[in-house]
Amino acid sequence: NAGVTQTPKFQVLKTGQSMTLQCAQDMNHEYMSWYRQDPGMGLRLIHYSVGAGITDQGEVPNGYNVSRSTTEDFPLRLLSAAPSQTSVYFCASSSSGSTGELFFGEGSRLTVL
Amino acid sequence: RKEVEQDPGPFNVPEGATVAFNCTYSNSASQSFFWYRQDCRKEPKLLMSVYSSGNEDGRFTAQLNRASQYISLLIRDSKLSDSATYLCAVNPSWGKLQFGAGTQVVVTP
């Protein structure tokens, strides 16, 4: 029962470094998304994908890249980390982009110094 | 103004009591509505979808008021295990689920 798996769970970066948060799901969901969660702000959508090869921007896409080469994987890349990107990142997947339940990974806690 | 707003709480509720709280949304074109539950430092999990006619799942009742653009969640006979943050989620367009910042509920013995 893996569901949605995110790695790493914790990461500390220095300003300007780049890194990739990995996300994989084994439910054969077409829809996948990345959110960040900050205190008082709730979950904000960064990018989403409706299938392999198709991605689109969410509410706060700047500073992040995504790609979807397979149905299972949806990595999130931080190009040049900034302190403002310190957050908890959640990957989620769903069988539908509108009415389906979102299944979340356990989250990745990122600190940028 | 945030597109999905919730009272952050906390709502302190004696065990066995009823608690209710709302979530307002700004996009009148929104079609799908949900309540998620999030325990401290954990991932959100779907509690229930919210249907136009209102729906109930055990001790939980969700309502949708399209005219006033809000959804509500009522918890009856509160249990200690109901202590959590409740996030409302609204789907203003396909693929873009928007979340409120959450309402914290603390059930006390």
Side-chain angles (χ1 to χ4, degrees):
Chain A
N1 290 343
V4 179
T5 303
Q6 289 183 234
T7 57
K9 287 186 168 46
F10 299 94
Q11 183 72 50
V12 178
L13 289 178
K14 294 181 180 178
T15 296
Q17 288 184 316
S18 62
M19 76 157 299
T20 299
L21 298 176
Q22 302 290 347
C23 177
Q25 53 93 8
D26 62 359
M27 297 173 283
N28 201 33
H29 285 165
E30 290 295 328
Y31 179 87
M32 296 185 73
S33 56
W34 276 101
Y35 287 87
R36 59 177 289 173
Q37 187 173 36
D38 303 291
M41 300 292 292
L43 290 155
R44 291 183 291 169
L45 182 63
I46 304 171
H47 286 285
Y48 65 98
S49 168
V50 301
I54 307 170
T55 64
D56 205 347
Q57 296 181 351
E59 183 184 354
V60 289
N62 292 342
Y64 307 95
N65 271 0
V66 291
S67 60
R68 185 96 179 269
S69 56
T70 68
T71 299
E72 294 78 20
D73 300 298
F74 190 43
L76 178 72
R77 296 183 189 84
L78 280 70
L79 309 174
S80 177
S84 60
Q85 294 179 304
T86 294
S87 188
V88 180
Y89 292 85
F90 287 102
C91 178
S93 74
S94 174
S95 59
S96 164
S98 62
T99 57
E101 175 183 358
L102 268 184
F103 291 87
F104 286 86
E106 293 182 341
S108 298
R109 298 181 182 280
L110 176 67
T111 301
V112 183
L113 303 175
Chain B
R1 181 187 171 199
K2 293 179 184 176
E3 298 196 43
V4 181
E5 294 204 68
Q6 295 184 250
D7 183 339
F11 285 67
N12 294 297
V13 187
E15 197 174 3
T18 296
V19 61
F21 41 88
N22 295 337
C23 164
T24 60
Y25 61 95
S26 61
N27 191 326
S28 59
S30 300
Q31 293 297 318
S32 305
F33 308 88
F34 309 89
W35 282 105
Y36 280 76
R37 172 193 168 126
Q38 185 173 28
D39 293 306
C40 187
R41 301 177 75 81
K42 297 280 194 178
E43 73 273 24
K45 293 183 179 178
L46 181 69
L47 178 66
M48 58 197 304
S49 301
V50 186
Y51 303 120
S52 295
S53 55
N55 48 303
E56 192 173 302
D57 184 0
R59 298 180 294 106
F60 297 84
T61 300
Q63 297 279 354
L64 167 63
N65 186 317
R66 284 194 184 273
S68 300
Q69 295 184 202
Y70 72 88
I71 61 174
S72 64
L73 182 67
L74 182 146
I75 307 173
R76 281 186 302 277
D77 187 23
S78 297
K79 312 291 185 190
L80 295 176
S81 57
D82 294 334
S83 296
T85 297
Y86 292 86
L87 309 174
C88 69
V90 175
N91 192 246
S93 60
W94 202 97
K96 296 185 177 181
L97 196 61
Q98 292 179 327
F99 285 83
T103 295
Q104 185 184 8
V105 172
V106 179
V107 182
T108 55

